[in-house]
Amino acid sequence: MNVATRLQRNLASIRRRALAIVLLLALPLALGLAALAWRVAGVAPAIAVAAVACVVAAVLALRRVRGFDRDWQARALDAARTDMDDSAALLFAAPATLAPLQQLQRARLQARIEADPSMPAPTPWPARALAAAWFGGALLVAAAQWWPPSAPRETMTASTNAATGNAAALPVLQSQALEITAPAYTGQAPRTQTELDAQAPAGATLRWTLHFAPQPRQVALQLHDGSEIAFVREDEAWVATLRLEQSWLYRVAVDGDIDGALTRAQPWRLDAVADRPPEIRVRTPEATLSTYAPGQRSWPLTFEASDDHGVAVDARLRISVTRGSGEGITFEDRTLSLRGRGEAGLKTFSTTLDPAALGIEQGGDLVAQLEVRDNRVPAPQTARSPSLILRWPPPAPIDADGLEGLARDVLPTYFRSQRQIIIDAEKLLAERPRIEPAAFEARSDALGVDQRILRLRYGQFLGEESEGGAQPPPTAGAAPPPPPRKPLPIDDFGQADAPAAPVEAAHAEGDGHDHDHDDHDDDGPAGAASGNAPGAHADHDHGPQDATTFGRAEDVMASFGHTHDLPGAATMLDPATREVLRAALGEMWQSELQLRQYAPRAALPYANRALELIKQVQQADRIYLARVGATLPPVDLSRRLGGERDGITPRPVPAPATTDADVPALAWTALAWNGEADLAGLVAWTQAHPRQVDDPLALLATVDALQRDPACDDCRQALRGQLWRVLQRPLAAPVLRPAIDALGARYLDALQEDAP
């Protein structure tokens, strides 16, 4: 037998001894605990206790056996034999990894083991520990035999009522069943479960069937808002029905007492899963804005619609064709029915349009949008795809001869009008309860950007400086253009406004389709939207132009200078109309400020006033201003600077009004100071704003637990933890300047002394 085999057998015998010791120590204790559990609680708890004890013993045995590895055996060899020279670890190393001296030492150790094959002895049997373990197991078995057996619940209830002489026995729930019937449009089959917690689609019908022994007088279903649904007795069963329109917490009250046989620390949950609206994705074309090619006779469109409970087979494709330009734009709308292909939850709608047959003309657009609906009954939900635009490109500029390498076709810019901003803001407020806070903030910020672009467009008519712009390319031999005369304006966020970049087709995908071209705005001054009025420059880096007549001051000024410095030359509007337009710009700025701060409701008054002022600018010929000054009441000189305070009473400071958003904050503060929180108001707020809470039912369950036990500190802390996620983050406040210390005061005094 070689040395490696002897080492392996020695290690195996040591591991077997360690495993046997652990099992012999754990076996009597597991048997004693199982016997005691069987005597006290019954067979099922005894089996559970025995299983847990076996698992614990197995884990301990494995950990004990894993401790006896190669490293342990090497250390044991070095400790048991003096001829190993503390080099027993070389016996377990691979020969190829050893140096020549190490291989020589290993050969010596193997020769010594073959001459004297003594190995480390296994762990001795712990006689005292084994005796104590078996003695303890015997005591547990004896205690189980001595312990009186437990009687069934029904037997104890009957004997107790018989001993007390109570004629009405306590009702005990024998069995329960909850049948869930989902709406037919979902395609889900009815199911029955024994758990009283349920999750079902909104609109499902729930039916409880409960059996009691003995029979109670009345049974009711109590919801978390205080309402009740009475059970109806059918033969030996009690039945109740509920149509699940929203999520609920509920308990079952027997004979008007919820603290009876069905008491639970937490109420049961009914989660209503809302039907999601369909989702539409555009597969073809890849971009929402396409350019029409001359002679193009086909425009392929492919949409993919999905829904959780199925998409309707038929869909409508809304097609709009625009013709004309400026004030004479006309629209022609038509509808095309499409039939989808694919599974119920994922359908594909495809078609190919003929732009020429639909009547697209030069300078016009062909807009297509798909509208699908799901199978919800009775009110199907609809969804619309982004607007796909096929645009006839504008003609090439006349002065592009010789600049083919530099000139390129630029599509007109789409942007929202003031009326469209108001419509979109009202729509965003209406959809706020149904969208996520992040999506709401993103859409509000996008409206603020649209308001900024519209404000800059109207600001050109007053000769205002543009907030950035592209610089002209330098010419050969020409000096670089001078820097702008004044810096970029600072926006409401403390940053310089970026250049007014064109808003691409993403802004044309609004639901209202009330968009304006670069050469026309339905809310702007007629004929002035193109920026051709004097002073409507994109930037102030005017490059030199060829003078038409040598020596004429007007041509030289137009080529190399600015006319903004001349009063009244920045616009063709009369002074009164300019003031009205300036007021409209101020209202637009306030509207943009509120939209960028995610407050569209506060921005609506400014946006509406801006629209009214813009309409006044359109009808400037009907505006008449009084040319007389305002008549002010005369000043009573007898009371001026007299210092008399007669009749002046201090006005009380009104208390700040409490809004719905303050309810969680007030409750969180009251719970922090161990005060009386308005739990009823918190329940009402949670039901009114379910989308602002991650799990409304969990919050209501915590409130219910605190209502049932007002002295529960753990319940108060748990409720504060859930309210913390609901609280709105406060706005960043400016940091106050620290108070001046003695050193700073001396420094300021020294500055004043040195000042002239």
Side-chain angles (χ1 to χ4, degrees):
M1 183 183 301
N2 55 15
V3 177
T5 305
R6 289 179 179 177
L7 293 175
Q8 291 178 359
R9 290 187 178 182
N10 176 252
L11 185 59
S13 64
I14 293 173
R15 289 181 174 178
R16 287 194 298 269
R17 177 68 64 84
L19 180 62
I21 291 174
V22 174
L23 294 180
L24 289 176
L25 289 174
L27 180 60
L29 298 178
L31 292 177
L33 293 176
L36 189 60
W38 168 73
R39 194 69 172 178
V40 173
V43 178
I47 296 175
V49 170
V52 172
C54 292
V55 171
V56 172
V59 172
L60 294 177
L62 289 177
R63 292 185 60 183
R64 178 66 175 169
V65 169
R66 288 178 180 175
F68 298 100
D69 53 3
R70 298 287 188 183
D71 296 337
W72 176 88
Q73 191 177 16
R75 294 193 300 268
L77 278 173
D78 290 335
R81 300 183 54 155
T82 59
D83 56 350
M84 291 290 104
D85 299 335
D86 291 334
S87 303
L90 297 176
L91 297 173
F92 305 99
T97 60
L98 299 178
L101 292 178
Q102 292 176 335
Q103 293 179 1
L104 179 60
Q105 179 67 11
R106 177 178 177 177
R108 291 176 179 176
L109 296 180
Q110 290 177 350
R112 293 172 185 175
I113 292 177
E114 291 178 356
D116 182 10
S118 59
M119 293 290 175
T123 304
W125 293 98
R128 293 183 179 181
L130 291 174
W134 284 94
F135 181 73
L139 287 180
L140 291 176
V141 173
Q145 295 296 329
W146 171 78
W147 196 276
S150 60
R153 183 181 180 89
E154 295 80 6
T155 305
M156 293 179 61
T157 303
S159 61
T160 304
N161 285 282
T164 58
N166 187 9
L170 181 64
V172 177
L173 181 63
Q174 299 293 328
S175 64
Q176 69 272 0
L178 178 57
E179 182 181 356
I180 303 175
T181 304
Y185 75 89
T186 62
Q188 300 180 6
R191 69 179 191 273
T192 303
Q193 63 182 32
T194 58
E195 295 82 6
L196 296 182
D197 290 322
Q199 186 178 20
T205 301
L206 307 181
R207 177 184 172 90
W208 287 266
T209 303
L210 307 180
H211 291 84
F212 295 91
Q215 292 293 345
R217 293 186 303 273
Q218 59 181 359
V219 183
L221 197 72
Q222 292 188 349
L223 303 177
H224 67 258
D225 63 346
S227 59
E228 291 187 358
I229 300 176
F231 278 77
V232 179
R233 184 174 179 180
E234 297 180 358
D235 296 334
E236 298 297 327
W238 292 84
V239 179
T241 304
L242 171 66
R243 182 178 176 84
L244 188 63
E245 298 294 347
Q246 68 178 65
S247 299
W248 294 100
L249 295 174
Y250 76 98
R251 284 188 174 91
V252 177
V254 180
D255 292 336
D257 183 14
I258 63 173
D259 294 328
L262 298 181
T263 300
R264 267 180 33 129
Q266 293 290 336
W268 286 288
R269 296 172 54 114
L270 296 177
D271 292 284
V273 181
D275 185 10
R276 298 192 302 271
E279 297 180 358
I280 306 177
R281 291 171 295 276
V282 180
R283 297 304 184 190
T284 304
E286 296 181 357
T288 56
L289 181 61
S290 305
T291 303
Y292 175 78
Q296 180 179 350
R297 298 305 301 262
S298 65
W299 187 33
L301 303 177
T302 303
F303 304 88
E304 187 177 81
S306 61
D307 188 73
D308 49 356
H309 296 305
V311 183
V313 178
D314 297 330
R316 295 192 307 169
L317 184 65
R318 302 171 57 183
I319 304 173
S320 299
V321 182
T322 64
R323 299 184 180 90
S325 62
E327 296 285 345
I329 294 180
T330 60
F331 298 87
E332 179 182 352
D333 299 331
R334 66 186 67 184
T335 303
L336 181 63
S337 179
L338 300 181
R339 190 171 184 84
R341 304 186 309 273
E343 302 176 354
L346 182 63
K347 293 187 180 297
T348 302
F349 299 87
S350 302
T351 186
T352 301
L353 302 180
D354 188 353
L358 293 175
I360 188 173
E361 297 179 356
Q362 183 175 3
D365 293 339
L366 177 60
V367 184
Q369 187 181 43
L370 184 69
E371 179 179 333
V372 300
R373 55 185 175 85
D374 59 7
N375 295 325
R376 192 176 70 171
V377 177
Q381 300 181 101
T382 60
R384 295 179 179 178
S385 70
S387 297
L388 303 179
I389 304 175
L390 181 64
R391 178 169 302 165
W392 192 302
I398 301 177
D399 55 349
D401 295 339
L403 299 177
E404 291 79 2
L406 300 177
R408 61 176 181 176
D409 295 336
V410 179
L411 297 180
T413 303
Y414 264 77
F415 62 93
R416 283 179 170 85
S417 64
Q418 187 64 29
R419 184 185 296 107
Q420 184 63 38
I421 292 175
I422 296 173
I423 294 174
D424 291 347
E426 294 175 347
K427 180 180 178 182
L428 178 60
L429 289 173
E431 297 178 355
R432 182 172 187 175
R434 301 188 299 272
I435 61 179
E436 298 294 334
F440 172 80
E441 295 177 358
R443 291 176 58 179
S444 178
D445 184 72
L447 286 177
V449 173
D450 294 337
Q451 182 69 83
R452 170 181 174 273
I453 295 174
L454 190 61
R455 174 175 61 84
L456 296 179
R457 182 178 179 85
Y458 281 107
Q460 295 177 358
F461 307 137
L462 293 179
E464 293 185 354
E465 297 286 349
S466 175
E467 299 183 8
Q471 301 295 334
T475 58
R485 292 190 176 183
K486 67 177 183 178
L488 296 177
I490 303 300
D491 62 6
D492 49 291
F493 290 96
Q495 298 177 356
D497 283 346
V503 181
E504 297 301 334
H507 293 283
E509 298 173 5
D511 296 333
H513 299 289
D514 187 12
H515 306 326
D516 302 324
H517 288 78
D518 194 35
D519 60 345
H520 169 256
D521 181 17
D522 64 343
D523 294 335
S530 61
N532 296 327
H537 298 275
D539 51 45
H540 275 279
D541 293 319
H542 296 273
Q545 300 175 1
D546 295 333
T548 55
T549 304
F550 179 79
R552 291 187 58 181
E554 295 82 356
D555 292 341
V556 174
M557 189 66 183
S559 301
F560 298 95
H562 296 280
T563 60
H564 298 273
D565 300 330
L566 301 179
T571 178
M572 297 178 63
L573 303 177
D574 59 275
T577 306
R578 291 175 58 194
E579 293 301 324
V580 176
L581 185 56
R582 193 181 306 278
L585 292 180
E587 300 295 337
M588 288 184 184
W589 195 94
Q590 292 294 334
S591 173
E592 174 191 348
L593 174 65
Q594 300 298 332
L595 289 172
R596 298 295 292 272
Q597 292 181 347
Y598 318 133
R601 188 179 302 278
L604 280 177
Y606 301 107
N608 285 309
R609 286 194 293 270
L611 179 61
E612 294 176 0
L613 294 173
I614 291 173
K615 290 303 179 184
Q616 294 181 18
V617 174
Q618 288 182 343
Q619 302 174 359
D621 55 344
R622 305 179 188 177
I623 298 178
Y624 300 93
L625 300 179
R627 297 184 179 273
V628 295
T631 303
L632 301 178
V635 179
D636 187 2
L637 299 180
S638 62
R639 299 183 56 189
R640 185 174 183 179
L641 303 179
E644 299 178 358
R645 301 176 59 86
D646 299 338
I648 301 177
T649 58
R651 292 179 297 177
V653 179
T658 302
T659 61
D660 289 345
D662 299 332
V663 174
L666 294 176
W668 186 84
T669 305
L671 293 172
W673 295 98
N674 294 327
E676 295 295 334
D678 185 11
L679 299 181
L682 184 59
V683 171
W685 180 88
T686 305
Q687 293 177 344
H689 306 84
R691 294 186 178 272
Q692 298 186 18
V693 187
D694 295 337
D695 192 351
L697 291 185
L699 179 60
L700 293 175
T702 309
V703 174
D704 177 79
L706 185 59
Q707 288 176 338
R708 293 170 63 84
D709 187 6
C712 178
D713 293 336
D714 294 339
C715 301
R716 300 174 72 90
Q717 296 301 325
L719 182 56
R720 291 187 72 239
Q722 293 188 0
L723 290 177
W724 179 257
R725 306 188 188 98
V726 183
L727 299 180
Q728 295 183 357
R729 288 172 291 182
L731 297 177
V735 181
L736 298 179
R737 179 178 296 176
I740 302 176
D741 53 3
L743 180 61
R746 291 199 304 268
Y747 176 74
L748 295 178
D749 294 340
L751 289 179
Q752 293 180 359
E753 293 176 359
D754 296 341

